[in-house]
Each structure stands twice: as C-alpha cells, then as structure tokens.
Amino acid sequence: SQTIHQWPATLVQPVGSPLSLECTVEGTSNPNLYWYRQAAGRGLQLLFYSVGIGQISSEVPQNLSASRPQDRQFILSSKKLLLSDSGFYLCAWRPPVRNTEAFFGQGTRLTVV
Amino acid sequence: AQSVAQPEDQVNVAEGNPLTVKCTYSVSGNPYLFWYVQYPNRGLQFLLKYITGDNLVKGSYGFEAEFNKSQTSFHLKKPSALVSDSALYFCAVRDGNTGFQKLVFGTGTRLLVSP
C-alpha cells in the first residue's frame, strides 16, 4: 500500500535561518506531489506542485522554494526564514490519473521565532 | 483558474440533527470535487469525491454530498450528526479538463456538534 512520510512533525527556527522540509511517498510511481501551507488552522494555500522529477510549479511568489530530486521525494526549502513563514505545512500526493483524490501527510508545524 | 468558496466559517448543530456544510466552486472545465476533514494538528483525511455520474455521492463515516451543476455547488451532508464529527471540513476542486494536476481548497468550515 502507499504511504506518505513528512518530517519533522514540529520545528522551531530563528528568523534568518534556512529551512528544509522533506516529504517522501512509498508504494507508487510518478505521483503528483503538492506542498500546502495552512495559517491559523484554517485555509489551505497551495504553494507548489510537481508532476515529475525536476518539474515544479509555483503558485505564490514568496520566500520558499521546492525541489523534486527523486520521483517520490519533495522538498520545501528556504534560505532565510521570515516570521510570516510560520504555519502548518502539508505535503500531499496523488496518482497521476484523472479521477483520483490526494492523500496527505501528517504535517509539519513550523514556528519562526 | 479554479476556486472554491465555503461561505460559513462555522456550522453549529445538535447531535442527532442533520448537518449541511456548503461549498460552491468555479472551474472552466469539468469539475472534480472533493471533501476532506481535518482534526487538530493532523493532515487531511479524504471523505468523498464527485468525478462524474450520479449527483449524490456517498463517502466515509456516513457523509454524502450533492453535486448541483446549475448552482455550481457541492454541499456536504449527513442525516444525523455525531459529536465526533466536530472538525474542520474542506472542499476542494480540480479542473478535469485543463489543469487537472492543480488541486485548490476552500478556506474551511468548522463543524461543531453539541451533545
């Protein structure tokens, strides 16, 4: 069966420090991958999505970047964190066929101090 | 570009009563519609989806949703609410024709079921 792993679960980082959040999917090939941010426990903002290795679509210009170095690995990064980067970050995947739903990881709570 | 609106920040219902959580959408092509639930500090769990076919779709935990093309709505329903249904509910849409990879969510509706 397919599983998605996202880590760490919580992270406290100082302003100006770098960030690297990792998401991996097991048991599938060529998944569509997504990064979302959820602020204040509410709406989900789509940050990046990827349909293949090295293919990244950015939805919102911001202080973050994403990379997909391997088929089932999706990384969210920042060179210098801002206070406004705090939030709950969710990774998701879905099979690359039309009728499928997405499956979410358990999320990373990032607090920038 | 596709979008989703969830007009209610919070829905309050007594246990045993029916519940409805509203969702309207906008896409240029055929809508693929989804409902998810989120419990505190957790990821989203899939409830149900509409792709094509019957306008009434049934999902997990007794939830169902009705697709209405003329009103561009996809409201989530349950005949009898449970206290354990209290959570944050998200509606999402994907454009089935053009940008089928991009999945866009609404702002969420908090459901509070009182005993």
Side-chain angles (χ1 to χ4, degrees):
Chain A
S1 63
Q2 303 91 354
T3 55
I4 179 169
H5 302 280
Q6 188 180 343
W7 68 92
T10 60
L11 191 59
V12 179
Q13 291 284 98
V15 169
S17 63
L19 172 73
S20 180
L21 301 181
E22 189 163 343
C23 173
T24 59
V25 181
E26 295 178 356
T28 188
S29 298
N30 196 30
N32 290 166
L33 295 171
Y34 304 83
W35 276 112
Y36 290 88
R37 176 168 59 199
Q38 185 178 26
R42 291 308 299 266
L44 287 168
Q45 179 186 35
L46 178 60
L47 301 176
F48 303 95
Y49 66 96
S50 172
V51 299
I53 296 175
Q55 300 178 58
I56 309 294
S57 296
S58 175
E59 286 298 300
V60 182
Q62 58 205 327
N63 187 40
L64 301 169
S65 63
S67 61
R68 185 170 176 173
Q70 300 181 43
D71 182 43
R72 292 168 292 170
Q73 185 184 30
F74 204 24
I75 298 173
L76 183 69
S77 303
S78 173
K79 292 182 179 178
K80 288 186 178 182
L81 283 169
L82 306 172
L83 287 174
S84 58
D85 292 324
S86 294
F88 192 49
Y89 289 83
L90 290 158
C91 181
W93 77 276
R94 69 174 194 88
V97 292
R98 283 186 181 273
N99 297 348
T100 54
E101 61 272 21
F103 302 92
F104 282 79
Q106 292 303 298
T108 295
R109 172 76 57 192
L110 171 66
T111 304
V112 182
V113 296
Chain B
Q2 60 259 49
S3 65
V4 172
Q6 293 182 245
E8 303 155 315
D9 283 347
Q10 182 163 311
V11 170
N12 298 305
V13 64
E15 187 174 33
N17 284 358
L19 69 88
T20 299
V21 182
K22 296 179 180 178
C23 170
T24 59
Y25 66 89
S26 174
V27 291
S28 55
N30 291 326
Y32 290 178
L33 295 157
F34 307 84
W35 275 103
Y36 286 82
V37 61
Q38 185 184 33
Y39 296 97
N41 295 310
R42 302 299 298 274
L44 275 66
Q45 297 178 30
F46 170 74
L47 284 177
L48 51 79
K49 65 182 176 184
Y50 171 84
I51 303 298
T52 186
D54 198 351
N55 288 346
L56 185 64
V57 294
K58 296 187 182 297
S60 305
Y61 312 119
F63 284 94
E64 58 189 27
E66 187 168 10
F67 171 66
N68 188 316
K69 188 174 183 178
S70 63
Q71 297 185 6
T72 61
S73 67
F74 188 56
H75 301 330
L76 181 71
K77 300 180 180 183
K78 187 173 183 181
S80 178
L82 300 172
V83 172
S84 57
D85 292 330
S86 298
L88 189 56
Y89 290 81
F90 288 96
C91 182
V93 67
R94 206 166 76 232
D95 189 325
N97 288 12
T98 56
F100 79 91
Q101 304 93 338
K102 184 175 169 181
L103 181 62
V104 175
F105 283 80
T107 52
T109 297
R110 192 167 305 280
L111 174 66
L112 184 60
V113 182
S114 55

